[in-house]
């Protein structure tokens, strides 16, 4: 008799006829990305389907928007304005556009970080950001891509940013203007004009020219380094004599500076230093 068979020590499992051997495969980054892409596509298709099944009612949107714009907290930061030559440009702020988007419905918007390059000693990193707004019902989409350097400028110089919270806040601030541009591209112009007019009505009805409102407005300008003298130079009258509509324009100018649409020096030029030609009686005669 021959020697008994030696048991096999191979880890390969015994398979029955017609059965394929199964070897577990660890998920690769490519597989994970494919799953994420499939999930994103499915979510997008579902959102578009819901948007088509439940379209917005424009009458209901305008009624809700009118109610939203009647709130003074929204109306005060609703619009901005700045002068371009002899023309005054008026537009909605990013805060008003977000409020419109919430009432408009079937609209997706925001900021997403596409990639990040870490920094090294002395060399700041940067992030590639995408700002987007997508009206899923009309299939209208606006996208802005930009880079944000992880660096903060200060009056005493600048420094490299490494804290995650600081980088997040920097991206949010830098992305505000791009997000506003995206929302402006998908929201109809007449809806934006309607919202601004409703906010103006709310401010004028709330007696924006009260002493308390004037004091608050002047303090906010002073905090930005703009003196009362520069404001009065823009108004061509004393601040105390400004009308309600002029105060409304000053509110818009404040929002324009805060939103980065214009700068304080562009909106309210500092008074020119006196020269020999502008001093004394001869200077007064020349100015007249």
């Amino acid at each position: 008799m021959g020697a008994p068979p030696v048991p096999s020590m191979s880890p390969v499992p015994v398979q029955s006829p017609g059965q394929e051997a199964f070897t577990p495969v660890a998920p690769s980054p490519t597989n994970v990305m494919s799953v994420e892409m499939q999930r994103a596509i499915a979510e997008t298709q579902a959102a578009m389907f819901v948007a088509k099944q439940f379209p917005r009612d424009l009458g209901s949107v305008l009624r809700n928007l009118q109610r939203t714009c009647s709130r003074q907290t929204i109306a005060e930061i609703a619009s901005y304005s700045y002068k371009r030559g002899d023309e005054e440009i008026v537009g909605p702020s990013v805060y008003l556009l977000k409020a419109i988007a919430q009432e408009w419905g079937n609209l997706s918007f925001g900021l997403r970080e596409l990639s990040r390059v870490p920094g090294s000693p002395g060399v700041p990193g940067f992030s590639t950001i995408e700002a987007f707004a997508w009206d899923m019902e009309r299939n209208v989409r606006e996208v802005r891509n930009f880079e944000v350097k992880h660096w903060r400028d200060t009056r005493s110089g600048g420094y490299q940013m490494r804290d995650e919270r600081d980088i997040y806040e920097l991206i949010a601030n830098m992305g505000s203007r791009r997000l506003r541009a995206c929302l402006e591209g998908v929201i109809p112009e007449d809806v934006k004009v309607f919202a601004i007019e409703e906010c103006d009505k709310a401010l004028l009805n709330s007696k924006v020219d009260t002493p308390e409102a004037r004091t608050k407005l002047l303090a906010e300008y002073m905090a930005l380094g703009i003196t009362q003298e520069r404001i009065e130079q823009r108004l061509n009258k004393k601040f105390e004599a400004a009308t309600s509509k002029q105060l409304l324009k000053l509110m818009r100018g404040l929002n324009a500076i805060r939103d980065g649409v214009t700068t304080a020096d562009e909106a309210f030029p500092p008074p020119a230093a006196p020269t020999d030609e502008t001093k004394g009686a001869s200077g007064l005669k020349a100015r007249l």
Side-chain angles (χ1 to χ4, degrees):
M1 296 180 59
V6 179
S8 172
M9 302 300 293
S10 172
V12 178
V14 178
Q15 59 191 72
S16 59
Q19 178 184 8
E20 295 184 0
F22 170 74
T23 305
V25 179
S28 65
T30 304
N31 292 337
V32 173
M33 186 179 299
S34 177
V35 171
E36 289 297 320
M37 289 180 63
Q38 291 176 5
R39 182 181 64 83
I41 292 172
E43 289 180 353
T44 301
Q45 290 175 340
M48 292 184 67
F49 176 78
V50 171
K52 293 294 185 181
Q53 293 296 313
F54 301 96
R56 65 180 63 91
D57 177 8
L58 185 57
S60 176
V61 168
L62 295 180
R63 286 191 297 272
N64 293 338
L65 192 56
Q66 189 175 27
R67 188 164 51 247
T68 298
C69 293
S70 65
R71 292 155 48 194
Q72 189 168 353
T73 52
I74 293 291
E76 288 179 351
I77 57 175
S79 58
Y80 65 85
S81 68
Y82 64 96
K83 297 203 74 173
R84 181 184 293 167
D86 295 332
E87 183 183 6
E88 184 165 1
I89 308 298
V90 180
S93 69
V94 66
Y95 306 105
L96 178 60
L97 288 168
K98 287 180 179 180
I100 296 174
Q102 291 169 358
E103 301 296 346
W104 190 242
N106 294 333
L107 180 61
S108 176
F109 63 92
L111 300 170
R112 63 167 64 97
E113 188 173 21
L114 302 179
S115 64
R116 179 180 296 190
V117 176
S120 58
V123 180
F126 64 90
S127 298
T128 302
I129 308 299
E130 179 185 81
F132 67 94
W134 179 30
D135 186 338
M136 293 172 286
E137 183 177 325
R138 298 183 300 154
N139 198 21
V140 177
R141 184 179 175 89
E142 288 283 338
V143 178
R144 301 286 190 280
N145 292 332
F146 59 99
E147 291 184 353
V148 176
K149 186 167 65 171
H150 303 163
W151 180 269
R152 176 164 290 167
D153 292 316
T154 63
R155 293 184 178 179
S156 58
Y159 62 92
Q160 185 175 345
M161 302 174 66
R162 293 185 176 87
D163 185 74
E164 188 66 29
R165 181 177 179 180
D166 291 341
I167 294 174
Y168 170 82
E169 292 177 352
L170 178 66
I171 290 173
N173 291 334
M174 297 291 289
S176 178
R177 291 186 64 183
R178 279 83 171 186
L179 182 58
R180 185 182 68 236
C182 291
L183 287 170
E184 282 188 300
V186 299
I187 296 175
E189 188 66 27
D190 58 334
V191 176
K192 292 180 286 188
V193 171
F194 172 82
I196 292 176
E197 290 176 349
E198 290 299 316
C199 289
D200 290 349
K201 291 178 185 177
L203 288 175
L204 294 175
N205 292 335
S206 66
K207 297 182 179 179
V208 72
D209 59 346
T210 60
E212 294 79 8
R214 290 176 183 268
T215 302
K216 177 184 175 184
L217 182 61
L218 183 59
E220 290 175 334
Y221 268 108
M222 296 287 284
L224 295 176
I226 301 173
T227 63
Q228 183 173 343
E229 179 186 6
R230 293 167 67 177
I231 297 175
E232 292 174 346
Q233 181 181 350
R234 168 79 177 270
L235 293 174
N236 200 24
K237 64 170 60 175
K238 289 294 184 181
F239 179 73
E240 294 78 10
T243 64
S244 298
K245 290 187 177 181
Q246 287 175 324
L247 292 174
L248 189 59
K249 288 183 178 180
L250 287 176
M251 284 185 175
R252 288 174 173 168
L254 189 66
N255 294 332
I257 297 171
R258 287 173 172 170
D259 282 5
V261 177
T262 185
T263 64
D265 290 341
E266 290 174 348
F268 298 88
T275 62
D276 294 338
E277 296 179 354
T278 59
K279 292 180 181 178
S282 60
L284 177 60
K285 183 179 179 180
R287 290 195 298 275
L288 292 174

